[in-house]
Amino acid sequence: VQLVESGGGLVQPGRSLRLSCTTSGFTFADYPMSWVRQAPGKGLEWVAFITSKPYGGTTEYAASVRGRFTISRDDSKSIAYLQMSSLKADDTAVYYCVRDHGSTLPTWFDPWGQGTLVTVSS
Amino acid sequence: SYVVTQPPSVSVAPGETAKITCGGNNIGSKSVHWYQQKPGQAPVVVIYYDTDRPAGIPERFSGSNSGNTATLTVSRVEAGDEADYYCRVWERSVDDMVFGGGTKLTVL
């Protein structure tokens, strides 16, 4: 099982960025997926969740990103995405893609990708 | 939202037992998952649903959850167990599903 994030980098406040999570080694369509972030030197924060298609592909978001971030998935490519808009300095973090073991709500995460760093700064 | 509290640090000698706590109001009625993060690495789940251990995690790692405290116990601590440990509480509302602030386990 492998998860590889990409798309991170330096972005100005107020701009947008899309992260991708390319997966392999498991049946992607069968699993919900989440994104978790970690600000430099800080703890973990769950960000977004998407169910598998049998559960409607519904989404959940942390209050801190609700209305600004959008999680999506392409089961044909085994890729999960995180579209981030109206970025703020507080969004600066390493963003991890994780395979979720929930169904309609996020539960526990295994495995984790290696992470991609997003830096929001002018 | 729900609040959980972890001690910032725990120190033990090699071969001893480390207990890392995760405190919260009636946390025993909720499910708790534990993650280990070594420096420069992504986190790894070591305990899920209070007591379950994923394949590949040593039996030295165990979990319990009762009352207002969930506990991750690491028996016969080794130098390689030195890491940050995070608890995460499962609730029926995502706004109450929180990570603890993390506990740094130091092996003396």
Side-chain angles (χ1 to χ4, degrees), chain B residues 93-105:
Chain B
S93 164
V94 294
D95 289 337
D96 290 327
M97 293 190 202
V98 295
F99 279 101
T103 298
K104 182 176 180 59
L105 175 63

Side-chain angles (χ1 to χ4, degrees), chain A residues 62-96:
Chain A
S64 59
V65 305
R66 202 168 288 153
R68 299 188 299 122
F69 288 14
T70 301
I71 188 173
S72 61
R73 61 190 299 151
D74 185 335
D75 289 350
S76 69
K77 297 180 179 179
S78 298
I79 298 177
Y81 301 98
L82 185 67
Q83 178 70 45
M84 305 183 294
S85 304
S86 303
L87 283 162
K88 311 173 184 178
D90 285 349
D91 296 318
T92 294
V94 173
Y95 284 73
Y96 294 101

Side-chain angles (χ1 to χ4, degrees), chain A residues 38 66 106-109 112-113, chain B residues 35 37 42-43 90 95 97 99:
Chain A
Q38 185 171 34
R66 202 168 288 153
T107 56
W108 57 283
F109 313 130
W112 298 55
Chain B
Y35 298 90
Q37 186 178 33
W90 187 90
D95 289 337
M97 293 190 202
F99 279 101

Side-chain angles (χ1 to χ4, degrees), chain A residues 97-109:
Chain A
C97 173
V98 298
R99 186 176 68 173
D100 203 303
H101 289 260
S103 53
T104 59
L105 289 172
T107 56
W108 57 283
F109 313 130

Side-chain angles (χ1 to χ4, degrees), chain A residues 38-39 41-45, chain B residues 2-9 20-23 34-35 37 83-89 98-104:
Chain A
Q38 185 171 34
K42 302 297 185 181
L44 302 171
E45 180 187 18
Chain B
Y2 190 73
V3 176
V4 293
T5 303
Q6 293 185 241
S9 63
I20 299 171
T21 58
C22 179
W34 290 93
Y35 298 90
Q37 186 178 33
D84 292 325
Y85 290 84
Y86 295 90
C87 65
R88 174 166 163 83
V89 176
V98 295
F99 279 101
T103 298
K104 182 176 180 59

